[in-house]
């Protein structure tokens, strides 16, 4: 895919190299799977395949940063300090978008928001944010009970795929007695409870 210069000064190859340098081989393979899925969903649902590619390639850009680095940025850059009570699963999206903007010089709000919301979802999500949220869940490397059904739903109705993923994630967190980030509950209330 050839980038247009509208969202990043880098071409896809250079962006991929910069992302790859920040993560393990396994994580990078996941990122490429999310990109492939996001481009397919963007083509199906009428979003920009280029924006889907950029957001997918950068969605886990900060995933393997240290907790100390995240905590420093949360304190330094004016994030809600309640974030300090959470961990990497939440930080790498919300705070990760900040790393992408500063280090990769990607300023497109829709791309940055899609990165920020890719683990928690939100009551209000753009088409691109829904695509990255779902693509991260169903990319080809994922293998868990229910992923086949999630892939089938994603090809029929993107909003239903958001609902399915949110319910699946919440069920998992509850079964593991894990804390649930408030925005994830908002996502559930909007996409699952209101659609029932």
């Amino acid at each position: 895919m050839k980038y247009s210069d509208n969202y990043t000064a880098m071409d896809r190859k250079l962006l991929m190299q910069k992302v790859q340098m920040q993560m393990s081989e396994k994580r990078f393979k996941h990122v490429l799977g999310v990109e492939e899925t996001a481009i397919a969903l963007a083509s199906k649902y009428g979003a920009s395949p280029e924006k889907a590619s950029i957001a997918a390639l950068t969605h886990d850009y900060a995933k393997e940063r240290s907790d100390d680095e995240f905590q420093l940025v949360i304190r330094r850059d004016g994030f809600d300090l309640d974030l300090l009570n959470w961990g990497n699963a939440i930080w790498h999206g919300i705070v990760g978008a900040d790393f992408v903007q500063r280090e990769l010089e990607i300023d497109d709000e829709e791309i940055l928001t899609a990165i920020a919301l890719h683990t928690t979802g939100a009551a209000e999500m753009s088409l691109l944010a829904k695509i990255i949220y779902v693509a991260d869940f169903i990319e080809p490397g994922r293998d868990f009970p229910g992923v086949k059904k999630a892939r089938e739903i994603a090809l029929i109705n993107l909003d239903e795929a958001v609902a399915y993923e949110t319910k699946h994630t919440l069920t998992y967190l509850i079964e593991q007695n894990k804390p649930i980030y408030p925005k994830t509950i908002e996502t559930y209330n909007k996409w699952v409870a209101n659609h029932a």
Side-chain angles (χ1 to χ4, degrees), residues 33-183:
V34 174
E35 184 200 26
E36 176 190 330
T37 306
I39 290 170
L41 291 173
S43 299
K44 177 168 179 50
Y45 291 108
S48 160
E50 180 183 353
K51 281 174 106 165
S53 168
I54 294 166
L57 286 175
T58 56
H59 82 282
D60 273 355
Y61 178 73
K63 177 79 174 168
E64 295 179 7
R65 300 292 176 102
S66 71
D67 286 0
D68 288 346
E69 195 172 354
F70 277 115
Q71 289 163 356
L72 179 121
V73 170
I74 289 166
R75 287 190 172 98
R76 184 192 69 201
D77 293 353
F79 283 93
D80 182 343
L81 293 181
D82 177 61
L83 272 174
L84 294 169
N85 298 317
W86 299 87
N88 183 287
I90 301 300
W91 295 339
H92 84 274
I94 295 170
V95 186
D98 190 64
F99 285 99
V100 169
Q101 185 173 27
R102 274 186 297 111
E103 296 175 13
L104 301 177
E105 298 177 354
I106 293 170
D107 293 316
D108 183 85
E109 270 313 307
E110 193 181 18
I111 290 171
L112 295 172
T113 301
I115 295 165
L117 299 179
H118 85 266
T119 57
T120 63
E124 298 302 320
M125 285 195 276
S126 71
L127 178 57
L128 181 65
K130 289 189 274 189
I131 285 168
I132 300 303
Y133 183 73
V134 171
D136 185 37
F137 192 70
I138 65 168
E139 61 94 358
R142 296 286 198 201
D143 184 22
F144 55 83
V147 73
K148 188 170 179 284
K149 184 170 185 199
R151 289 182 182 125
E152 290 165 3
I153 295 168
L155 293 175
I156 299 163
N157 185 314
L158 192 60
D159 288 357
E160 291 299 323
V162 168
Y164 181 87
E165 174 184 340
T166 302
K167 189 170 182 179
H168 196 279
T169 300
L170 262 177
T171 302
Y172 170 81
L173 292 170
I174 290 165
E175 285 171 355
Q176 300 293 315
N177 296 317
K178 301 250 192 231
I180 297 168
Y181 191 65
K183 197 175 271 299

